[in-house]
């Protein structure tokens, strides 16, 4: 299974978990409601999950390199005080083994 398929399958599992818990899900640039802070549009997160009580920006990463970490930290600083949460989910080697059925 290639990197794209691994991340896609893992992302679908995360989406299902949030949908099962009553969240509305937004994926991809151009699908953000007007209520979203402008910073979200420039960051282009993997998933945005909204419930009546929470607004969560979810970024799924396979390799959290220093550049990606810096980008996420800058984004977190940019949305500080807006009421949004940021969750970074790192896909581990165990997740890859599980998603490939091994």
């Amino acid at each position: 299974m290639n990197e794209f398929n691994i991340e896609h399958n893992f992302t679908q599992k995360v989406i299902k978990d949030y949908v099962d818990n009553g969240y509305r899900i937004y994926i991809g640039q151009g699908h953000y409601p007007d209520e979203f802070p402008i910073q979200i549009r420039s960051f282009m997160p993997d998933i945005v999950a909204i419930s009546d009580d929470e607004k969560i920006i979810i970024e799924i990463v396979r390799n959290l390199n220093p550049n990606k970490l810096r980008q996420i930290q800058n984004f977190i600083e940019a949305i500080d005080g807006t009421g949004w949460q940021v969750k970074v989910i790192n896909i581990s080697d165990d997740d890859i083994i599980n998603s490939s059925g091994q």
Side-chain angles (χ1 to χ4, degrees):
M1 186 175 287
N2 67 34
E3 288 285 321
F4 173 79
N5 288 337
I6 290 167
E7 187 169 335
H8 177 77
N9 290 345
F10 190 84
T11 300
Q12 293 304 311
K13 290 177 188 176
V14 171
I15 290 169
K16 182 181 181 327
D17 288 345
Y18 277 92
V19 168
D20 288 350
N21 285 294
Y23 287 81
R24 295 179 312 280
I25 300 296
Y26 300 90
I27 304 168
Q29 185 178 12
H31 294 94
Y32 306 134
D34 292 338
E35 70 199 58
F36 284 18
I38 192 71
Q39 297 92 328
I40 292 176
R41 294 174 184 157
S42 62
F43 182 67
M44 295 185 293
D46 293 315
I47 304 167
V48 176
I50 299 177
S51 72
D52 291 338
D53 302 320
E54 291 185 300
K55 298 179 280 187
I56 305 170
I57 298 158
I58 303 165
E59 185 68 12
I60 298 174
V61 295
R62 169 75 173 107
N63 299 308
L64 190 56
N65 61 52
N67 288 335
K68 184 66 170 179
L69 180 59
R70 189 172 23 263
Q71 180 186 20
I72 292 169
Q73 289 171 329
N74 290 341
F75 178 70
I76 290 170
E77 290 173 10
I79 64 162
D80 187 38
T82 63
W84 288 79
Q85 299 176 44
V86 176
K87 291 191 178 183
V88 178
I89 301 172
N90 187 43
I91 301 174
S92 70
D93 289 337
D94 289 340
D95 296 318
I96 293 169
I97 291 169
N98 291 335
S99 69
S100 65
Q102 297 179 358

